[in-house]
Amino acid sequence: TAVHRSDYQAPAWWIDTVELAFDLDPAKTRVLNKMRLRRNSAVPAQPLRLDGEELNLSRVLVNGAGTSFKMEGSQLVLENLPEGEEAFDLEIFTTCAPDKNTQLMGLYVSQGTFFTQCEAEGFRRITYFLDRPDVMATYTVVLRADKAQFPVLLSNGNLVEQGDLDGGRHFAKWHDPHKKPSYLFALVAGKLVARQQRITSRAGTDHLLEVYVRPGDLGKTEHAMRSLMASVAWDEARFGLPLDLERFMIVATSDFNMGAMENKGLNIFNTKYVLASEATATDVDFANIESVVGHEYFHNWTGNRVTCRDWFQLSLKEGLTVFRDQEFSMDLAGSPSARAVKRIEDVRVLRTAQFPEDAGPMAHPVRPDSYVEINNFYTVTIYEKGAEVVRMMHNLVGRDGFARGMKLYFERHDGQAVTCDDFAGAIADANPDSDLARLLPQFKHWYSQAGTPRVRATGQYDAAARTYTLTLAQSCAPTPGQATKEPFVIPVELGLLAQDGSALPLQWPGEDTPGAASRTVVLSESSVQLTFVNVDEAPVPSLLRGFSAPVVLDVDYTDAELLTLLAHDSDAFNRWEAGQRLALRIAINTIADSAIQTGATGQIDQQILPDSFVQAMRAVLRHPQLDAAFKELALALPSETYIAEQLEVVDPQRIHAVREAMRLQLATALQADWQWAYEQHQHSGAYRPDAASAGRRALAGMALHMLCLAAQHTGDAVWPGKALQRFKDAGNMTDRFNALNALVGSGHALAAPALARFHAQFKDEPLVLDKWFALQAGACDRGGQVLAQVKQLMNHPDFSLKNPNRARSVIFSYCNANPGAFHRADAAGYVFWSERVIELDAINPQVAARLARALDRWKKLAEPWRSGAREAIARVAARPDLSNDVREVVTRALADE
Ligand code: ARG
Ligand code: ZN
């Protein structure tokens, strides 16, 4: 049954303080929960209904005396509570079984250590509670456990007391001075060691930072600690937001459903986003750690100090915090071009993951109106599109205006549980003269309307009048439950280029002199006409610079115009975008061209890239000024998923074959240039994961891959040999993995022995083994062998379905990230998918529901894929015992069928 945003009611009871005492035992943990409650006089008197799940209840006391209670579903209902507004004590004693908790929600055991995950509704699996974010309480927690097995006992806030108990047990008492909702509660107990760092803030306060890991992993915590120190300094410098705790802890666990969790003062992380050494982690891992550590830390203000009133407001904290972590990474990257690279990467995620979500059966607004299972709404729409909405506000009011808005937001709402409206209101109110303030109600359609708007741009140059008229028109397709849409407020940053690529001045009618060469116009009507005056020649418009709004921009550029933008646009994002548009156009035209046939092997043996495109790519690759990281992004072809999104009807094999043929032609046509690039981007000296060094390694890795691809085609053995050599003696995981990937990706015979060697070398490094599994499950399917290989990998002694990282490394890498291998004409990939969804659902519904999303876009598929996919989804839906999580996903996928 669905929950609706419009049904929100304030809680009938407040919980002021909570005292929790845990006797930790993996098989049977005893939890004594003593709360101080009072009625919320603003709400009509009603029974107290406490949420609980999979708990064994043994005692309920009110002010120390027994009381009557009943169960309604999984809720504990108390009707005979003291009248009046006086506070009283409610004591609840329950037990739970953490070692049977495979869902990894609530209290669970991972490798002999206790962890919790309470967001969104996991606290109710620990004790009966008003498990909703608008009930904020002060927590005091006593943890008791066997001292030898669980020497470290952690919870939120400050350690106030610890000591030994009888029978080899000990205890620790923690007090969190900040009120918080139950989803931010955490405890950890086990054999852990910590890297510690004392810091003094700008304001002069002292803090202890700690990163807890399993013994043996301490050497891999330096980067996480550095990232945490940088996060503390950044939030203070950029937003004036200080660390508000004496002690801030991060703990890593290898069993975790998501990336990490911002529990107050005690962040719990997936090891993937903590542990890194140059020997075991790639540059991408290092960058992800920096951004996730930042993300969770920034939640301390945007999420914890000011939290969500209800879960429909999730993007209030997630969209804003993603925006903040993106800015953090950009600020640390430093140069304008490194910022642009980060922006391109973020937009690529948005367009390959969020745009499809917005066009599919799970489409929902940034602030949803209803859900069945809230865990299904931790989506790219809430996170990444939410961040784009915040970014548009930031750009509409300017950097200083946004800082003022944030200040007002905290002045108004510190310590409260609020809504997306409160946030937008604060930013607008702090900038009363801004376009945001002027258009606020309309701007908020970004929160209420799902779907990706399209903007169609058409230009008209009048040589006699020396004017250029640009028409911008917006539209948005219907999404489930929203047949029609109101116009959005769409900031479009733009500039005009002359035919030689130089910037033309921008001048409106009535202006005496031209203004800045790049300006933002705000499209709020369904269509607008803009006229620029004193334009000396027919310009090439550069539109939506920096991806100034999360829309699809339709423009009928000529190839020549795109080549001009690719070569000259001062906006790095649009420079990249021009190359992507060129490649996309070639891909789409080739896919539709029935004269271009695939051979018996499924490959296309024709040249499809026009010489102009090859030349342009060569010019980018050889460019003396462009950064290596930018070159790598510009030379990467649009993904199969992104190409598929542009088509009405999708033949996944055709897309795969065309893209592969394009890649092979780029590999062979630019062979000498790839060789040059590989040699130019070798580095010596100590490994550093900074953006510039990472960019050089990324381009060298791409070059090696292309050289191995070309070699497979020409039969040359030199480059595969070099790749093998590099694989063996690389000084860091990035180079080693790129070399292995080049061998596997080119389907070379040297790949198998290299994979075996890699496994032997890293058999004790779980995160590296994940890469080993993922590489094989994601491999190019040259003879239809990948599915059999995936099944074999699931029988490998190192495989476990219970560990989310490992399950993802095999199953998701195949179903979500390997379209060419997954979309088999015989539907065997879909059958495999349905079996795994069902199997995983019995263990971990959250992970299963993510996997269930792999066929979201099935309605776009051509036959026979479409029927095969529908059958597979129907097979899952026919199971009577599905979780809410998976049920909601497959029901929506099959809706209106
Ligand atoms: N708030 C966490 C973060 O964004 C994610 C928690 C997700 N939890 C969940 N059960 N879906 O950092
Ligand atoms: Zn978050």
Side-chain angles (χ1 to χ4, degrees):
T1 56
V3 191
H4 297 273
R5 183 167 61 87
S6 54
D7 289 346
Y8 175 82
Q9 288 193 345
W13 302 81
W14 298 114
I15 303 176
D16 293 323
T17 62
V18 190
E19 290 169 42
L20 294 170
F22 288 85
D23 280 295
L24 293 164
D25 178 331
K28 186 179 183 183
T29 287
R30 306 189 309 158
V31 183
L32 181 59
N33 166 9
K34 188 169 167 183
M35 295 167 272
R36 193 129 181 97
L37 274 99
R38 65 192 157 83
R39 289 180 193 269
N40 177 1
S41 53
V43 169
Q46 53 193 280
L48 173 64
R49 301 173 177 278
L50 298 172
D51 307 299
E53 221 178 87
E54 292 187 37
L55 299 171
N56 304 303
L57 175 63
S58 49
R59 197 169 70 227
V60 182
L61 300 177
V62 172
N63 286 333
T67 183
S68 63
F69 60 85
K70 65 178 182 190
M71 300 303 302
E72 273 182 26
S74 63
Q75 287 189 324
L76 172 65
V77 182
L78 290 111
E79 286 168 322
N80 301 316
L81 293 172
E83 305 282 333
E85 286 175 30
E86 196 97 343
F88 60 91
D89 286 338
L90 174 61
E91 234 175 300
I92 298 179
F93 187 71
T94 53
T95 66
C96 57
D99 66 359
K100 297 215 173 53
N101 184 354
T102 57
Q103 294 185 26
L104 312 183
M105 283 297 278
L107 178 64
Y108 65 94
V109 179
S110 161
Q111 300 186 301
T113 296
F114 287 97
F115 291 94
T116 53
Q117 170 58 36
C118 294
E119 188 179 2
E121 297 178 336
F123 192 71
R124 64 187 62 184
R125 296 168 56 79
I126 297 175
T127 184
Y128 284 99
F129 206 73
L130 289 173
D131 194 12
R132 46 187 286 170
D134 55 355
V135 173
M136 297 169 82
T138 305
Y139 285 66
T140 306
V141 177
V142 176
L143 304 174
R144 289 185 288 261
D146 183 82
K147 190 174 181 177
Q149 277 190 72
F150 308 102
V152 172
L153 302 174
L154 309 174
S155 191
N156 317 82
N158 300 315
L159 179 62
V160 290
E161 205 185 329
Q162 61 184 328
D164 289 336
L165 300 166
D166 291 344
R169 295 171 69 78
H170 70 148
F171 79 95
K173 183 172 178 179
W174 292 82
H175 176 75
D176 185 350
H178 299 278
K179 280 189 167 249
K180 63 169 174 288
S182 52
Y183 82 88
L184 290 174
F185 167 81
L187 77 78
V188 173
K191 285 196 193 90
L192 299 168
V193 291
R195 175 185 292 267
Q196 300 187 313
Q197 176 75 48
R198 288 184 190 283
I199 57 162
T200 304
S201 72
R202 290 186 150 207
T205 53
D206 292 327
H207 310 269
L208 174 63
L209 308 181
E210 296 183 301
V211 178
Y212 284 87
V213 294
R214 284 160 60 82
D217 284 337
L218 214 46
K220 298 197 185 89
T221 56
E222 189 186 333
H223 182 66
M225 181 59 89
R226 272 177 198 269
S227 302
L228 180 57
M229 291 165 71
S231 305
V232 177
W234 182 86
D235 217 6
E236 216 173 351
R238 171 107 183 232
F239 287 109
L241 298 172
L243 175 52
D244 59 5
L245 289 160
E246 294 162 31
R247 179 173 181 152
F248 191 90
M249 298 170 278
I250 286 178
V251 190
T253 171
S254 50
D255 294 285
F256 203 74
N257 284 345
M258 312 272 285
M261 179 63 213
E262 69 265 22
N263 317 299
K264 185 80 188 185
L266 181 58
N267 291 355
I268 297 180
F269 273 61
N270 190 322
T271 44
K272 185 174 164 60
Y273 299 112
V274 174
L275 302 180
S277 71
E278 63 187 86
T280 57
T282 62
D283 294 331
V284 172
D285 296 325
F286 275 86
N288 287 342
I289 289 168
E290 179 181 283
S291 99
V292 179
V293 167
H295 180 97
E296 305 312 328
Y297 177 77
F298 304 142
H299 267 314
N300 192 46
W301 281 93
T302 50
N304 301 3
R305 290 287 288 248
V306 181
T307 195
C308 302
R309 186 192 73 172
D310 54 69
W311 291 119
F312 298 102
Q313 319 297 328
L314 181 57
S315 197
L316 169 76
K317 74 179 178 77
E318 295 304 345
L320 176 54
T321 304
V322 171
F323 168 77
R324 275 151 55 70
D325 82 52
Q326 290 174 345
E327 287 293 302
F328 169 62
S329 294
M330 285 194 224
D331 286 350
L332 289 197
S335 69
S337 60
R339 294 184 76 88
V341 163
K342 168 71 176 154
R343 181 69 186 138
I344 292 167
E345 289 167 349
D346 291 340
V347 172
R348 218 160 51 161
V349 170
L350 189 82
R351 293 209 293 211
T352 52
Q354 199 278 325
F355 282 18
E357 179 165 273
D358 236 350
M362 284 292 289
H364 53 277
V366 167
R367 184 191 56 210
D369 293 316
S370 72
Y371 58 76
V372 171
E373 174 51 65
I374 182 58
N375 286 320
N376 284 333
F377 287 81
Y378 286 73
T379 59
V380 274
T381 297
I382 302 294
Y383 279 66
E384 272 70 26
K385 187 179 182 180
E388 293 300 317
V389 173
V390 174
R391 184 170 297 281
M392 286 188 286
M393 292 193 222
H394 172 272
N395 294 348
L396 285 172
V397 301
R399 189 181 154 116
D400 293 341
F402 189 77
R404 263 197 313 279
M406 287 284 277
K407 194 162 169 280
L408 183 59
Y409 176 60
F410 290 112
E411 276 166 18
R412 286 181 177 172
H413 301 299
D414 190 11
Q416 300 174 10
V418 304
T419 64
C420 297
D421 286 325
D422 293 320
F423 176 75
I427 305 297
D429 288 353
N431 297 277
D433 300 325
S434 64
D435 284 334
L436 180 67
R438 185 170 59 85
L439 297 167
L440 186 64
Q442 193 193 346
F443 182 86
K444 289 200 284 190
H445 292 156
W446 284 111
Y447 283 109
S448 58
Q449 296 186 153
T452 306
R454 297 188 86 97
V455 174
R456 166 144 278 283
T458 40
Q460 191 90 53
Y461 181 62
D462 183 335
R466 293 171 64 236
T467 59
Y468 179 70
T469 304
L470 187 66
T471 306
L472 299 174
Q474 62 167 306
S475 61
C476 184
T479 52
Q482 293 184 336
T484 59
K485 316 270 177 177
E486 298 295 320
F488 290 85
V489 174
I490 302 177
V492 180
E493 190 187 335
L494 53 83
L496 299 178
L497 273 68
Q499 301 297 327
D500 70 358
S502 61
L504 291 172
L506 296 186
Q507 194 175 350
W508 304 123
E511 277 182 340
D512 304 339
T513 53
S518 207
R519 290 191 179 184
T520 297
V521 300
V522 178
L523 169 61
S524 57
E525 311 287 307
S526 46
S527 150
V528 68
Q529 270 204 351
L530 309 162
T531 301
F532 300 91
V533 297
N534 289 329
V535 185
D536 287 331
E537 55 176 295
V540 182
S542 169
L543 305 172
L544 207 70
R545 284 181 158 174
F547 201 68
S548 57
V551 302
V552 175
L553 174 66
D554 295 313
V555 203
D556 295 323
Y557 284 120
T558 63
D559 285 2
E561 288 175 321
L562 288 173
L563 289 166
T564 300
L565 291 169
L566 174 60
H568 300 291
D569 201 332
S570 59
D571 183 70
F573 179 86
N574 269 2
R575 221 169 154 172
W576 170 79
E577 176 77 331
Q580 296 291 301
R581 281 180 190 270
L582 281 166
L584 193 60
R585 178 173 295 175
I586 299 166
I588 289 174
N589 290 342
T590 311
I591 287 165
D593 185 348
S594 53
I596 299 176
Q597 287 293 327
T598 42
T601 55
Q603 273 159 305
I604 294 171
D605 291 322
Q606 250 164 293
Q607 305 280 298
I608 19 192
L609 303 180
D611 201 45
S612 58
F613 181 76
V614 174
Q615 296 296 356
M617 288 294 128
R618 176 178 290 125
V620 170
L621 186 53
R622 294 265 188 177
H623 200 285
Q625 268 98 43
L626 292 173
D627 285 355
F630 178 85
K631 293 181 180 184
E632 197 269 338
L633 291 170
L635 281 144
L637 296 172
S639 68
E640 288 169 38
T641 309
Y642 187 60
I643 297 171
E645 278 308 305
Q646 320 305 315
L647 302 169
E648 289 288 319
V649 179
V650 170
D651 170 346
Q653 294 304 329
R654 178 77 178 161
I655 296 177
H656 180 70
V658 167
R659 186 174 182 278
E660 283 304 296
M662 290 170 68
R663 222 155 63 94
L664 183 61
Q665 199 184 334
L666 264 190
T668 49
L670 298 181
Q671 214 170 342
D673 310 281
W674 290 120
Q675 186 168 336
W676 170 86
Y678 184 69
E679 279 151 13
Q680 282 297 303
H681 293 91
Q682 297 305 313
H683 60 94
S684 50
Y687 170 84
R688 288 190 53 222
D690 63 283
S693 322
R696 285 192 289 275
R697 280 187 289 270
L699 186 59
M702 176 185 238
L704 186 59
H705 199 145
M706 293 307 245
L707 289 161
C708 287
L709 264 184
Q712 271 302 78
H713 196 65
T714 58
D716 146 60
V718 175
W719 281 100
K722 285 197 186 188
L724 184 65
Q725 203 53 43
R726 167 53 49 96
F727 165 70
K728 287 181 180 167
D729 48 52
N732 60 72
M733 179 52 85
T734 306
D735 288 339
R736 190 185 308 284
F737 190 78
N738 284 346
L740 180 62
N741 187 32
L743 290 171
V744 173
S746 58
H748 200 275
L750 289 171
L755 280 166
R757 185 188 169 103
F758 190 76
H759 183 274
Q761 194 174 352
F762 295 104
K763 61 182 187 318
D764 300 322
E765 299 283 354
L767 294 172
V768 184
L769 287 186
D770 289 337
K771 297 182 196 303
W772 181 83
F773 278 106
L775 185 58
Q776 296 173 79
C780 189
D781 204 11
R782 291 200 168 74
Q785 81 295 355
V786 172
L787 178 56
Q789 201 173 303
V790 164
K791 290 177 179 170
Q792 237 175 35
L793 289 172
M794 288 189 60
N795 290 324
H796 193 283
D798 292 327
F799 183 79
S800 160
L801 202 59
K802 287 195 174 155
N803 176 255
N805 286 359
R806 193 55 51 83
R808 285 187 278 255
S809 73
V810 177
I811 301 167
F812 288 53
S813 297
Y814 176 68
C815 299
N816 287 6
N818 195 351
F822 177 56
H823 295 280
R824 296 166 56 110
D826 67 3
Y830 305 154
V831 173
F832 173 82
W833 166 87
S834 65
E835 290 165 350
R836 299 295 81 75
V837 170
I838 292 165
E839 197 178 357
L840 264 170
D841 198 33
I843 298 170
N844 189 327
Q846 255 184 69
V847 175
R850 296 269 149 173
L851 179 62
R853 302 280 313 269
L855 281 177
D856 262 16
R857 300 295 274 142
W858 71 274
K859 284 186 184 172
K860 276 181 88 103
L861 293 170
E863 293 297 353
W865 297 280
R866 191 177 194 275
S867 297
R870 192 212 290 113
E871 253 177 67
I873 302 167
R875 197 159 35 241
V876 174
R879 301 284 300 201
D881 50 352
L882 291 177
S883 66
N884 275 342
D885 310 56
V886 170
R887 172 74 59 207
E888 180 173 31
V889 172
V890 294
T891 304
R892 287 178 69 140
L894 293 175
D896 354 287
E897 254 308 286

